[in-house]
Amino acid sequence: MTVHQKNLNIEELVAKDTAHHLHPFTDHKSLHAEGGARMITHADGAWIWDGNGNKLFDAMAGLWCVNIGYGRKELAEAAYRQMLDLPYYNTFFKTSTVPATELAAKVSSLMPDRFKQIFFVNSGSEANDTIVRLVRHYWALKGKPYRKVFISRRRGYHGSTMISASLGGMEAMHGQGGLPLPDIAHVMEPDWFQLGGDMGREDFGLHAARDLENKILKVGPENVAAFIGEPIQGAGGVIIPPKTYWPEVQRVCRKYGILIVADEVICGFGRTGNWWGFETLNIEPDIVPMAKGLSSGYLPIGAVAVSDTIMSDFVEHGGEFFHGYTYSGHPAACAVALENIRIMQDEALVDHVRQLSPYLNEALGALSDHPIVGEVRTQGFLGAIELVRDKQTRERFAELGRVGGLCRDHCISNGLIMRACWDTMVFSPPFCIGRSEIDEWAVRARKALDATYDDVRSEVV
Ligand code: PXG
């Protein structure tokens, strides 16, 4: 163990946190009523500890981001060394720094040849904000300023800023703050389990793609700038699309000259068993936002990879692109990301994910015999367990999200972190785990499912 347990007064800390810390994505009434947040104190590998001394298996890798696992000293040392050399300098106005230069080249080297240019940001939300500005400016440079509509999917998640939350398809988010902003249209998500009805998976994939074409025709193809989608929708409930879906989406976008944005914020950096989700799902994107796994969450950093097609217009037409952040290409964050990628490559972690994923699929897949589990699906180290009251018809329990919440709490009681997206339990574990940890996780998950079943037995068909 490389971690240090400090002598903390947790009760006092939780009170202070409740008094002063305004938490993201939180119901403040219930946080106050329940006596505050769970304080996480330290972590190692795939395990986190809370202030009460509970040790939990983190099957979410934080928020889908700690891909290499917790406790890697090399990353802390990379940040320390860089902060001594140069803690900050900007990358605006024709200036650069060594780690930003090296990281741009490194990220580009992990991608298909056409992605030579990398723009740095601090988060996935900023990556997608950047893309909306950059793509609209690209079309303006090409003399088509009216091409500004972005099409995305319902239950897609692209961030929490005004435009990235608008791109996202989360109704609850749109219900606050006057979203979505104009010139964004949403189409059906390729969720066979929930929306497929009697259709076969492959037919349903084509059906969902047809919804995109219908929307393009309604908006007017000449007005559409880009289609944005996560190769596998993460926060929407790990929606692994039918095999027919992406090829058809791609055909439709090409037909109308619409750019494709593959949001790799979750799927990127090995999560699906290849470096990029677009490789796993056979997509050829024009522009790629990334964050999370770029630094395994050790420091905030994101990026946008831009293909030659788009870049050539920027270089040809010239004129300043008025966009950037104080911390675009922050030296310490870039140094940590470089070290993270070095470890991923030296330890062949993407191969590890690909090789171990059938085992994970089998171990977690065995839960599909459970009375309230409708489906278990995985792709690489990304997956979901669907909770249903009727296994045959895939019918949900009443009050969507209630049973997911119960199950999440039972997971925690059993020393396991999985996230509930409504009644879909999702997981995205760190890459550093082996077979024994997967076995341990499956045992804990079954106990949590059993406890949930006890709560809702009378409702189950
Ligand atoms: N795109 C995707 C695909 C994401 O999953 C973002 C963009 C935004 O990234 P930032 O770094 O701005 O948060 C994300 C983030 C959840 C949850 O509830 C998911 C995310 C963030 C917070 C919570 O599952 N994904």
Side-chain angles (χ1 to χ4, degrees):
M1 266 252 295
T2 55
V3 292
H4 311 282
Q5 179 74 62
K6 297 184 193 82
N7 217 357
L8 300 170
N9 184 336
I10 294 300
E11 217 172 294
E12 201 177 283
L13 279 165
V14 171
K16 196 188 282 183
D17 186 77
T18 312
H20 299 295
H21 182 183
L22 187 52
H23 287 258
F25 279 94
T26 291
D27 177 338
H28 298 285
K29 185 175 178 185
S30 71
L31 182 74
H32 281 253
E34 286 161 19
R38 189 175 328 108
M39 193 69 71
I40 305 302
T41 53
H42 56 285
D44 191 42
W47 299 85
I48 61 173
W49 279 259
D50 71 16
N52 301 320
N54 297 311
K55 180 183 175 188
L56 302 120
F57 180 75
D58 184 9
M60 281 305 296
L63 267 181
W64 328 74
C65 58
V66 188
N67 290 4
I68 63 167
Y70 300 94
R72 295 299 300 241
K73 270 192 175 165
E74 303 93 317
L75 271 66
E77 282 159 4
Y80 178 74
R81 279 196 308 271
Q82 183 56 45
M83 284 189 192
L84 291 180
D85 281 350
L86 181 72
Y88 175 76
Y89 204 75
N90 67 70
T91 53
F92 285 31
F93 319 131
K94 301 179 184 166
T95 322
S96 197
T97 66
V98 177
T101 302
E102 295 293 358
L103 183 60
K106 176 52 89 175
V107 171
S108 168
S109 77
L110 300 172
M111 304 191 71
D113 271 357
R114 66 185 181 283
F115 292 104
K116 295 193 188 66
Q117 299 275 319
I118 311 296
F119 189 99
F120 289 117
V121 297
N122 307 290
S123 67
S125 300
E126 285 183 3
N128 285 322
D129 274 45
T130 297
I131 284 172
V132 173
R133 297 200 64 205
L134 191 131
V135 165
R136 286 181 179 162
H137 185 52
Y138 161 78
W139 285 117
L141 287 176
K142 290 186 88 67
K144 297 179 177 174
Y146 44 84
R147 256 199 128 124
K148 56 187 180 191
V149 175
F150 272 69
I151 300 182
S152 62
R153 277 97 52 92
R154 287 192 271 281
R155 280 159 67 215
Y157 189 84
H158 300 294
S160 196
T161 53
M162 292 293 279
I163 201 75
S164 61
S166 298
L167 288 174
M170 301 296 188
E171 273 175 27
M173 290 177 79
H174 291 170
Q176 298 172 343
L179 303 182
L181 297 180
D183 295 319
I184 291 175
H186 295 91
V187 296
M188 175 189 272
E189 66 278 40
D191 180 355
W192 174 82
F193 187 83
Q194 198 141 297
L195 306 173
D198 295 335
M199 260 185 254
R201 285 178 201 255
E202 316 294 88
D203 285 346
F204 175 72
L206 294 174
H207 171 76
R210 206 165 307 124
D211 197 45
L212 170 63
E213 184 156 22
N214 290 341
K215 183 64 86 176
I216 292 169
L217 294 173
K218 193 159 169 232
V219 171
E222 69 285 2
N223 298 317
V224 181
F227 172 74
I228 179 167
E230 304 150 75
I232 294 172
Q233 283 173 252
V238 184
I239 302 169
I240 303 174
K243 292 209 168 14
T244 46
Y245 176 74
W246 270 110
E248 182 60 9
V249 163
Q250 180 145 308
R251 190 191 65 77
V252 167
C253 288
R254 294 287 175 252
K255 178 173 167 190
Y256 299 107
I258 293 166
L259 295 173
I260 297 176
V261 184
D263 185 333
E264 294 279 350
V265 170
I266 286 178
C267 294
F269 296 94
R271 177 59 56 200
T272 67
N274 291 295
W275 274 95
W276 307 105
F278 65 71
E279 293 172 84
T280 305
L281 280 286
N282 263 318
I283 310 162
E284 287 184 12
D286 300 289
I287 189 157
V288 175
M290 62 191 81
K292 298 191 191 275
L294 171 55
S295 65
S296 284
Y298 278 59
L299 279 181
I301 184 167
V304 176
V306 184
S307 70
D308 290 341
T309 334
I310 296 172
M311 258 333 281
S312 59
D313 279 274
F314 277 77
V315 175
E316 187 187 320
H317 293 272
E320 185 166 340
F321 177 44
F322 298 107
H323 180 76
Y325 306 98
T326 302
Y327 301 127
S328 287
H330 190 283
C334 288
V336 166
L338 276 166
E339 186 60 9
N340 174 57
I341 295 170
R342 184 196 64 73
I343 290 175
M344 297 258 309
Q345 290 186 314
D346 285 2
E347 298 181 7
L349 288 179
V350 183
D351 292 341
H352 175 69
V353 169
R354 193 169 44 244
Q355 282 156 11
L356 201 58
S357 58
Y359 189 82
L360 187 150
N361 182 278
E362 211 170 293
L364 274 285
L367 299 170
S368 55
D369 68 357
H370 196 277
I372 59 167
V373 172
E375 177 178 270
V376 180
R377 54 178 178 267
T378 69
Q379 178 81 61
F381 271 21
L382 193 58
I385 302 169
E386 296 285 5
L387 307 180
V388 290
R389 70 181 285 266
D390 185 336
K391 285 169 80 83
Q392 252 57 54
T393 62
R394 316 200 292 271
E395 187 193 338
R396 297 285 189 192
F397 290 96
E399 286 176 66
L400 195 63
R402 175 179 55 97
V403 179
L406 291 173
C407 186
R408 182 209 41 228
D409 291 346
H410 287 305
C411 284
I412 292 172
S413 307
N414 282 285
L416 171 63
I417 302 282
M418 290 206 287
R419 202 168 120 36
C421 299
W422 303 278
D423 287 345
T424 308
M425 303 307 296
V426 297
F427 50 85
S428 143
F431 300 169
C432 57
I433 57 174
R435 290 176 180 228
S436 62
E437 276 163 318
I438 292 175
D439 293 343
E440 178 66 36
W441 164 18
V443 167
R444 292 175 189 217
R446 186 174 289 279
K447 284 187 189 156
L449 288 167
D450 288 345
T452 310
Y453 182 39
D454 282 345
D455 293 341
V456 297
R457 200 176 286 260
S458 63
E459 301 168 46
V460 174
V461 174

